Amino acid sequence: MIDALTDADVMRCAELERMLFPGDSPWPAEAFASEIAAPHNRYFAARTPQGELVGYAGISLLGRPGSLECEIHTIGVDPAHQGHGYGRALLSELLAVADAAHAEVFLEVRTDNEVALDLYRRNGFDVLGIRRNYYQPSGADAYTMRRRAVGAGSSDVKVASL
Ligand SMILES: CC(C)(COP(=O)(O)OP(=O)(O)OC[C@H]1O[C@@H](n2cnc3c(N)ncnc32)[C@H](O)[C@@H]1OP(=O)(O)O)[C@@H](O)C(=O)NCCC(=O)NCCS
């Protein structure tokens, strides 16, 4: 099940971050709280049928109607629950936000993250370029990826209405 990420989830998100991004400055609970509160961000939770939070994802929507741009800030799934469709479902929610606004979408991903790279490619992203030493303190490189806007040029959606 996918629904909205809330303040009640931030401790669990921070716990998952420490598992998923140990060498790349995992976000603390406070970072999740401020991300959720930011008006131009949308955050989603993936939960088991029993209600356990097993994944999270967030996207920002910036710019003006007609030239809106999205950036995927994060997406992660509990290692114990990976490979069961949660990541794909979370990404679909993020892309629905972008598509409703006819916005192109950008993200950064480690160049060695084959699973995520494949998932993004299959969902319309292409590599735009490479950012050396993007992740700290690991020093890992990132690809910047872009997915073109759907229905670009016909945007009449206001950011505040999304
Ligand atoms: C990337 C990530 C979010 C995917 O989440 P997930 O719930 O495991 O993904 P899903 O089960 O929805 O699978 C998505 C696709 O990846 C494939 N996949 C998942 N795990 C895989 C694995 N270990 N090896 C190969 N393919 C895999 C699935 O087959 C599926 O393909 P499909 O869409 O063609 O059916 C998850 O692996 C993760 O949290 N990774 C660590 C954090 C991370 O790297 N985040 C991205 C930062 S940019």
Side-chain angles (χ1 to χ4, degrees):
M1 180 185 88
I2 306 292
D3 64 6
L5 198 69
T6 74
D7 283 342
D9 297 315
V10 300
M11 296 298 284
R12 170 72 173 142
C13 286
E15 181 186 35
L16 291 175
E17 278 274 310
R18 288 193 295 275
M19 284 190 254
L20 295 169
F21 304 108
D24 292 327
S25 306
W27 288 0
E30 298 72 29
F32 279 98
S34 77
E35 282 281 304
I36 291 169
H40 302 306
N41 290 347
R42 298 290 177 275
Y43 269 78
F44 298 96
R47 303 181 202 274
T48 63
Q50 293 73 35
E52 183 193 2
L53 180 81
V54 293
Y56 56 86
I59 190 168
S60 65
L61 181 57
L62 297 170
R64 295 158 192 265
S67 62
L68 290 167
E69 209 176 276
C70 285
E71 183 170 339
I72 292 180
H73 285 190
T74 188
I75 180 166
V77 172
D78 184 339
H81 292 269
Q82 289 179 7
H84 296 285
Y86 290 114
R88 192 186 322 121
L90 285 164
L91 182 60
S92 292
E93 292 291 336
L94 300 183
L95 297 181
V97 171
D99 291 348
H102 310 299
E104 58 183 350
V105 188
F106 295 88
L107 60 80
E108 264 81 34
V109 56
R110 279 178 68 126
T111 55
D112 60 0
N113 192 343
E114 296 296 340
V115 171
L117 277 165
D118 283 352
L119 177 64
Y120 297 141
R121 283 199 182 99
R122 280 196 303 279
N123 282 274
F125 286 87
D126 292 311
V127 171
L128 266 190
I130 191 164
R131 301 180 78 169
R132 301 277 177 206
N133 301 311
Y134 179 78
Y135 294 99
Q136 295 299 326
S138 71
D141 298 337
Y143 286 131
T144 297
M145 300 186 85
R146 177 184 62 186
R147 178 179 180 268
R148 290 189 182 279
V150 171
S154 59
S155 175
D156 56 1
V157 180
K158 292 188 173 61
V159 174
S161 69
L162 289 171

